[in-house]
Every structure is written in C-alpha cells, then in structure tokens.
Amino acid sequence: RQNKIALEDLKGSTFTITSLGTMGGMFATPVINYPEVAIVGIHKIEQRPVVHEGQIVIRDRMYMSLSFDHRVVDGAVGAEFTQYVKKFLENPALLFIQL
C-alpha cells in the first residue's frame, strides 16, 4: 500500500494465491511464475442456480483455478490438493479439528 515492498521480499516462494474475484468471470488459467511450482486463482463468489435434491435452487458458488508444474507435481497429487482445499473452503470449522 505504501509502495515499500522490495523485489527481494517477493522471491523464494513455491506457491502463489491470486484473487480473480474483482475481475468477475468464471474460469481462468493462472500462470506459474518461475521458480514456483503452483498457483491457485480464487474467483468471485456469485449466486448460481444448482440442482439440490432434485430441485433447482440458488446457491453461492465460487470457482477455483489451479495450475501445477507437472515436472514437479504429479497430476493426481494436484487434484488431491484441490479437493483438500475445497473441503476446507466449504467447511472452515474443520480447520479447528485435528485430522
């Protein structure tokens, strides 16, 4: 906010979280910045029609886009991680339970 962050403060990470919510849209493909191995894009929460117990109802929905460097992260591991993140976003109280 004060434009005081140095380039050195932004180096050395392996994973990025980026917010795409302000841009709207439903899907994106976040680009991995070297030397990172993955990035997740969090999209805007919007109300959408969904089928729940045979009925069309309005529910809050948020899309997530993940990109993984497959030279480092196997696709199955990336998919498992995606489901793990989804579980905690849908049920934040689980963060307080030892799994």
Side-chain angles (χ1 to χ4, degrees):
R1 291 182 181 171
Q2 297 174 353
N3 293 323
K4 292 184 179 181
I5 193 163
L7 182 59
E8 296 80 37
D9 295 330
L10 300 174
K11 290 185 176 180
S13 63
T14 57
F15 188 90
T16 294
I17 301 171
T18 185
S19 173
L20 304 167
T22 59
M23 296 178 199
M26 292 175 60
F27 303 104
T29 303
V31 177
I32 303 166
N33 296 307
Y34 178 83
E36 297 177 345
V37 297
I39 183 170
V40 60
I42 304 295
H43 298 266
K44 183 178 182 180
I45 297 173
E46 294 183 315
Q47 292 189 336
R48 300 200 180 277
V50 297
V51 177
H52 179 73
E53 297 179 358
Q55 299 293 317
I56 297 174
V57 296
I58 302 300
R59 294 282 197 253
D60 288 337
R61 290 287 186 243
M62 179 192 79
Y63 294 98
M64 258 186 346
S65 301
L66 287 102
S67 297
F68 299 96
D69 184 339
H70 285 269
R71 295 172 296 177
V72 180
V73 179
D74 182 71
V77 174
E80 185 177 333
F81 174 77
T82 302
Q83 293 303 312
Y84 191 74
V85 170
K86 177 181 175 277
K87 176 175 68 172
F88 285 109
L89 288 172
E90 290 177 341
N91 302 289
L94 293 175
L95 292 169
F96 302 105
I97 300 172
Q98 186 175 2
L99 300 176

